[in-house]
Amino acid sequence: MRLVPRAGGGVGLLKGDELQTVGRFKITSDAISFSHGGLSLALKAKGPVVGLTSLEHLIEHSPSYRTLADAYTPDSKLVAKLKGVGEGYRVRVIFGSWCHVCKNFLPRGLKLEEALAGSAIRFEYYGLPAAPWEPPDPEVRRLEVKFLPTAIVFKGDREIGRYVG
């Protein structure tokens, strides 16, 4: 069988090819392992994005964000207005790459960041581990985040707005 890359980071089979059974596999807490053609192989899930990260890293980690971002069109009047704001604005997005609500929200934020390229507004993305609440992540505690995703708008160091999931 022959695999071909798909948009968004997946793979598919060439037309006419069929899946084939290659043997037994073993499922453990962190992988699915099997042997084929004299090789020992393991499929492991990507871990969550944790800590400060960039738009580029988010898209590399989860290519579906690119597909979903490309399907979204931010309001052009709002983008024009935001491009005109002065210096000192930043948006910090606290999210979980494992969070189903975040997976729908983040691509829109990424698209907005791209639309605002060259403006004075800076975006920061802060990923949380799979269990951010106990013990609380220091950033979650500092920013008093209660729900995901949370996007906080700052002017300098002062919070001036918040969007909650």
Side-chain angles (χ1 to χ4, degrees):
M1 79 185 153
R2 295 164 292 168
L3 299 177
V4 293
R6 284 190 178 161
V11 294
L13 296 175
L14 285 176
K15 189 173 183 174
D17 281 358
E18 295 180 18
L19 289 176
Q20 301 171 9
T21 301
V22 295
R24 300 178 64 83
F25 58 90
K26 179 180 177 184
I27 299 175
T28 62
S29 62
D30 67 341
I32 299 173
S33 56
F34 57 97
S35 296
H36 181 66
L39 299 172
S40 294
L41 307 165
L43 301 173
K44 295 183 176 185
K46 288 182 183 178
V49 174
V50 178
L52 279 175
T53 191
S54 65
L55 176 145
E56 295 78 18
H57 180 255
L58 287 171
I59 290 172
E60 179 184 315
H61 182 273
S62 301
S64 64
Y65 289 161
R66 166 56 50 215
T67 303
L68 293 170
D70 288 345
Y72 175 69
T73 304
D75 181 288
S76 59
K77 290 180 183 176
L78 176 62
V79 169
K81 186 175 181 179
L82 289 172
K83 281 187 173 185
V85 302
E87 293 291 324
Y89 288 91
R90 70 185 162 92
V91 179
R92 173 156 291 192
V93 179
I94 294 80
F95 70 97
S97 55
W98 43 266
C99 166
H100 71 280
V101 177
C102 301
K103 287 179 184 180
N104 290 318
F105 172 79
L106 268 177
R108 293 176 184 179
L110 298 174
K111 184 70 170 218
L112 181 59
E113 178 182 0
E114 291 173 337
L116 292 172
S119 75
I121 300 173
R122 299 291 165 248
F123 286 77
E124 303 170 343
Y125 302 93
Y126 189 86
L128 296 173
W133 314 115
E134 296 298 332
D137 181 275
E139 191 70 351
V140 166
R141 185 181 306 122
R142 183 179 79 79
L143 296 173
E144 299 178 6
V145 173
K146 305 285 187 231
F147 303 99
L148 295 180
T150 294
I152 305 170
V153 180
F154 294 92
K155 171 71 172 152
D157 289 331
R158 186 174 60 90
E159 180 179 332
I160 62 168
R162 185 178 284 232
Y163 169 86
V164 177

